[in-house]
Amino acid sequence: MIVEGTYPLPGKPEAVWDLLMDPDVLAKAMPGTRTLTRTGPDRYEGTMAVGIGPITAAEFDLVITLTDVMRPESYTMLIDSKGRFGFARGAARVVLVAGGDGTALEYRADLQVGGKIAGLGQRLLDSVSRMMIRQGLEALQRELAARLG
Amino acid sequence: MHPINVGVNGIRYERSVEARLLLSDFLRHDLGLTGTRVGCEHGVCGACTVLLDGEPVRSCLMFAVQADGHDLRTVEGLSEDGKLHPLQQAFHETHALQCGFCTPGFLMTLVPFLEEHPEPTETEIREALSGNLCRCTGYANIVRAVQRYAASNPDPGSGSRSTEAA
Amino acid sequence: MTSRYFGAPILRLEDVRLLTGRARFVDDVDLPGMLHVAFLRSDEAHGRLNRVDPSAARARRGVVAVYTAADLGDYWRPGPLLVPPPPIPGMVFNPATQVPLARDKVRHAGEPLAMVVAESRYLAEDALDDIVVDLEPLPAVTGLEAALRPGVPLVHEQFGTNLAAWVRQTKGDYASARARAHAVVARRFHYDRGAAAALENRGVVAQWDARAEELTIWDTTQAPIPIRNGMAELLGLRESQVRVIAPFIGGGFGPKIMMFYPEEVLVPWAAMRLGRPVKWIEDRRENFFATTQERSQIHDAELAVAKDGKILGVKDRFLHDTGAYDPYGLTVPLNSQCTLLGPYVVPHYDSEFTAVFTNQPIVTPVRGAGRQHGVFVMERLLDFAARELGLDRVEIRRRNYIQPDQFPYDNQILFQDFRPLVYDSGDYPAALEKAVALIGYHRFVSEEQPAARKEGRHLGVGVVSYIEGTGVGPYEGARVTVEPSGTVRLATGVGTQGQGHFTTLAQVVADQLGVSVEQVQVSTGDTREFGWGTGTFASRGAVVAGSACHAAATRVREKVLDLASRLLELSPEELVLAGGRVHRRGAPESGVSLGELARKANPLRGAVTPGTEPGLEATAYFGPDRGNAANGVHAMVVEVDPETAAVKIRRYVVVHDCGTVINPLVVEAQIQGGVAHGIGNAFYERLCFDDSGQLLNASFMDYLLPTALDVPTVELDHVVSPSPLNPLGTKGVGEAGAIPTGAAFAQAVEDALGQEVEITEMPMSPCRLFELLERGGSGRP
């Protein structure tokens, strides 16, 4: 499953970058995240709950590892989430592009989904993930606006 | 655990059940009424159909606690005094069942349908049946069974009618 | 001897129990102290299993035991190879059978990792979440062609390849035929995976009686006797200590003849260890992974024809997906290979298949069992050849049929029962003519179709023919007993999943003994009642078990006549069996009832003549020398909306020949049901696996079974070509309806669209048809 797009965020790339690395801010960018803590220089662990179609609250254990980190331009998030309803794993490439007073966040995620989520929620995966990303980016935007004044 | 009071085929049962106990499991295993079958547990195949206050429902999509205070009718409640309900008799005469697993679900779907539509067309019959899956018969004989039943149990408004009703 | 029942549309004796909900299916078995099982299954299709930690699950209240592969000790072993490879020269076969619980490696999504036994299914499923699994995902092998590329992941490392088998069968010299051909039609065909989807999922209940030292197993199997024998051996018990009961079964269709599934092997073992009855009932989602499936093949086939449409030869190279293991040998691809020849004279044939392992659920026979692939390829090639030669589709078939005076017809290759593929009887031209007349083919093509086209409606007709090999050995048996009450007991080893054995077998016996069919009590599927036999599969029940019932009844009849003639002091020729009595011909009030005779045959005083047996009972067996060949023609009229690609079936005709018919109601219903199954396979059902072996439509919401709105009432006619291979003259019919539907469908839809598209794949969903129309062609290069 591939999702990609661009989203405008307030603030310069460096400021956006630093906030994205903050686990509390990152958690807001992923709707359904219950806990997220940094457990290493480029590593986060946590839990999240997602609803897809007939599955109302699938809980996942989440591990995110950052690679190809090039502050403040780009990085790759390796996502590995697992739960009783299945798994989702893959990579998301994030690129920050300066423009005017703000930063454009370009993303491309290639995720492999398996287990009950894949077997029962297949028709909804695309739309649900798009919705989650949109919600997440909107929340991120609000958070950035608040913190950056 | 929750106390519930349910009427099934005219008998009242008082039981204490977990909130998450499915109505299909309650009927089959708590009450021993195994005529109601479970084919998919996600509400598509219709094998679990029972009547709740006269209306067909998927018992695999309901919890037993939701039936508290209501009256249910299952396939065991169709025949009286050991005699087949005329619809069951029609199924027998037209060879409308093979493995028989889906049959109770079809019967319970058809009983209220035929009360509302005592003289259905073939299209109406097939539409009424479209919520029940059968893998053995290919449906043709089930349609014939309904037509046979309707022909020998015409509209009460138009004359005589069997008293075997909900 | 009367023929009151044989061939008559007798209403079924088993109906009342089923209609009133009183029939017992496996999940209805309820025993005191019964425990419930849930399996933890792999989400990954391919992975290294490093660790399964059940300790937290074991600590959960209500959980009685949790087993992993390590806990099974010596009991852990791969299942038996059910069907050995065929004795074909040059054959390659790499056997790999399923394991009870995964150890070291996971090879398909849904493979069981652990078994939880608890006080309720709800609690057992709760405990699944407590089990910690360290499963390292590996890249999965899914596509048929991808499976053989160099460097691809291996499902079974020990073979060094994903090749499961390679078989080539030839007849004549195809190359020379091709060289002489006026035209060679070549295409690639795809036939995708589907599920049997019986309404009843699988289930096993086991109870060990420690005092009697007896194990009882209720199992949704189509083969109770082999299960009894295998389980006894696995558990170190005598066969007589194990009783397997296949009660009423909610549809078989093939996957329930797969044997020694992990759950079948583990539940009885757990029952013995725990000293309490144990039950496992599969849920629908599990069924999509844990129960076997069928059908994925890719064929590169070509047909060499002469100018007049006569077949010179066929060459076929195909890939077959056996899934993660191959316990059922090569039955499915062999069926494809053999059934391709159909009812036609094919002088030269070169067929080669390669079976591959993939990280997907195991493939074993499902209604049709590979025959539909062969039929699809041949019928489509004939259609394309007809087009190229400017010949009518029906005519090209007519010109190539084996003629009625050519039987027995030897096809010179080996069938799935490892016997030569020899057709016993048939009248293929007669079946074709009847079908053509019933569907009104000529009037349709010359009048109705053009008239509809003028109105902007796209109607099309498809006519296809096929052979179905049925009634294979090894054998079945039956025991007939007349009881003093006058009831006749019939016991046979096959099981019943809706085929009406309780009635059809009773009909066979009732005629021999002159009793009413209601007087015959039939027992099937209980190893304590009858312990010799194979099972219900490959459309063989009526042929093989029916013939055994006939033989046993005939022997009892002889005993009746023998004893009655001595008692009544008449010669056997003067006696008549009718109405449950035996009496002097012309004097029905004389004589004695069968029940009385039975009592006299088992005296408490006096003597039984040496060399005879007490009572009126006989056991007999029937083993056909080889399978027989049923055949038929399907014709359908469809209407296609070229803008939406919606297809409506307007008419469906089947002309079928299954030899002598025991009960026409049962035969017609099998065909109607088979056609429904075929329509599902052709247009609605497809198991969609992604590249990583994940099943994307694991529910009836997305795996579409046809409903009453999708299946027309089939118009039927029969030809009767009795089989010389059994005393009843009968042939099987269980799979016939499902076999040629895809081919008929493809031809009819192409015809409706004026051959704007070529359909070379199955299933053909509305979406896919739409795509083809947009693209203006087929997937052909």
Side-chain angles (χ1 to χ4, degrees), chain B residues 116-160:
Chain B
E116 304 266 304
H117 306 85
E119 284 160 7
T121 64
E122 182 174 334
T123 308
E124 285 172 335
I125 294 173
R126 286 182 180 275
E127 275 170 10
L129 297 177
S130 62
N132 290 69
L133 294 178
C134 175
R135 196 47 153 174
C136 292
T137 68
Y139 307 103
N141 284 346
I142 299 177
V143 172
R144 287 190 183 108
V146 177
Q147 289 168 329
R148 191 188 191 100
Y149 172 86
S152 49
N153 292 276
D155 195 327
S158 69
S160 64

Side-chain angles (χ1 to χ4, degrees), chain B residues 20 22 25 28-29 34-35 37 39-40 42 75 88 92 95 97-99 101 126 135-140 144, chain C residues 12 15 19 23 27-28 122 126 195-196 199 284 497-498 665 669-670 672-673 677 685 700 706-708 711 713:
Chain B
R20 62 177 178 167
L22 295 176
D25 288 336
R28 289 177 49 74
H29 302 298
T34 56
R37 310 267 166 226
C40 71
H42 47 268
V75 69
Q88 290 169 320
H92 172 59
H95 187 30
L97 60 150
Q98 291 181 28
C99 80
F101 194 78
R126 286 182 180 275
R135 196 47 153 174
C136 292
T137 68
Y139 307 103
R144 287 190 183 108
Chain C
R12 295 196 335 169
D15 278 355
L19 283 165
D27 190 24
D28 303 338
Y122 290 67
D126 288 343
L199 258 288
R284 179 56 59 181
Q497 306 88 37
L665 278 185
Q670 283 294 317
Q672 173 76 41
H677 203 142
E685 299 178 42
F700 285 160
T707 70
V711 182
T713 297

Side-chain angles (χ1 to χ4, degrees), chain C residues 35-41 65-67 101 112 114-118 120-128 131 263 267 278-281 283 286:
Chain C
L35 294 169
H36 299 261
V37 170
F39 281 93
L40 180 68
R41 298 181 183 279
V66 181
Y67 302 107
L101 291 173
M115 176 167 89
V116 174
V117 187
S120 79
R121 175 67 180 239
Y122 290 67
L123 286 172
E125 287 189 15
D126 288 343
L128 294 180
I131 302 176
E263 305 87 0
V267 168
V278 174
K279 171 189 266 195
W280 171 74
I281 302 296
D283 69 28
E286 282 181 292

Side-chain angles (χ1 to χ4, degrees), chain A residues 49-65:
Chain A
V50 179
I52 298 187
I55 302 171
T56 36
E59 290 182 15
F60 293 92
D61 291 327
L62 184 61
V63 175
I64 295 176
T65 313

Side-chain angles (χ1 to χ4, degrees), chain C residues 169-174 346-350 409-413:
Chain C
Q169 296 211 64
T170 61
K171 171 182 163 187
D173 175 13
Y174 177 75
V346 180
H348 304 274
Y349 187 41
D350 182 349
Y409 185 85
D410 186 353
N411 288 282
Q412 299 168 43
I413 59 174

Side-chain angles (χ1 to χ4, degrees), chain C residues 713-735:
Chain C
T713 297
V714 172
E715 299 164 60
L716 278 163
D717 201 350
H718 293 286
V719 172
V720 179
S721 307
S723 171
L725 299 176
N726 65 76
L728 302 177
T730 194
K731 301 179 183 177
V733 71
E735 296 164 272

Side-chain angles (χ1 to χ4, degrees), chain C residues 116-348:
Chain C
V116 174
V117 187
E119 298 290 345
S120 79
R121 175 67 180 239
Y122 290 67
L123 286 172
E125 287 189 15
D126 288 343
L128 294 180
D129 297 338
D130 298 337
I131 302 176
V132 178
V133 175
D134 179 2
L135 178 55
E136 209 182 292
L138 294 170
V141 181
T142 50
L144 285 179
E145 289 170 295
L148 293 172
R149 282 190 202 127
V152 81
L154 296 177
V155 179
H156 297 279
E157 281 94 353
Q158 72 269 28
F159 299 131
T161 171
N162 286 321
L163 184 127
W166 182 88
V167 172
R168 185 165 180 222
Q169 296 211 64
T170 61
K171 171 182 163 187
D173 175 13
Y174 177 75
S176 72
R178 192 184 201 280
R180 288 182 281 120
H182 173 80
V184 176
V185 176
R187 295 288 192 282
R188 167 170 270 221
F189 300 96
H190 288 254
Y191 217 127
D192 218 336
R193 272 192 183 234
L199 258 288
E200 183 201 29
N201 293 312
R202 288 189 300 122
V204 184
V205 177
Q207 179 179 46
W208 169 247
D209 180 339
R211 276 180 269 205
E213 293 186 329
E214 281 173 4
L215 177 68
T216 307
I217 305 175
W218 288 263
D219 189 342
T220 55
T221 178
Q222 292 169 232
I225 295 170
I227 294 287
R228 190 271 311 264
N229 298 346
M231 288 313 301
E233 196 180 319
L234 276 174
L235 293 167
L237 298 171
R238 295 187 311 276
E239 282 181 6
S240 55
Q241 283 178 284
V242 181
R243 178 184 183 189
V244 176
I245 301 170
F248 280 98
I249 309 272
F253 308 117
K256 291 175 180 169
I257 195 80
M258 165 62 192
M259 296 178 242
F260 309 108
Y261 277 103
E263 305 87 0
E264 256 174 335
V265 156
L266 289 173
V267 168
W269 177 84
M272 288 184 76
R273 281 178 79 90
L274 298 172
R276 286 171 68 177
V278 174
K279 171 189 266 195
W280 171 74
I281 302 296
E282 186 187 48
D283 69 28
R284 179 56 59 181
R285 194 179 161 267
E286 282 181 292
N287 183 274
F288 278 100
F289 300 94
T291 287
T292 59
Q293 308 169 348
E294 209 226 75
R295 254 183 291 108
S296 200
Q297 287 183 359
I298 299 177
H299 289 248
D300 284 301
E302 63 180 54
L303 176 71
V305 283
K307 191 158 181 215
D308 63 353
K310 278 273 181 60
I311 299 169
L312 298 176
V314 175
K315 177 171 152 186
D316 188 17
R317 295 277 176 275
F318 69 97
L319 288 167
H320 171 81
D321 176 5
T322 187
Y325 300 97
D326 56 3
Y328 220 92
L330 300 175
T331 301
V332 176
L334 278 175
N335 278 338
S336 309
Q337 193 171 59
C338 292
T339 312
L340 184 146
L341 294 174
Y344 308 110
V345 176
V346 180
H348 304 274

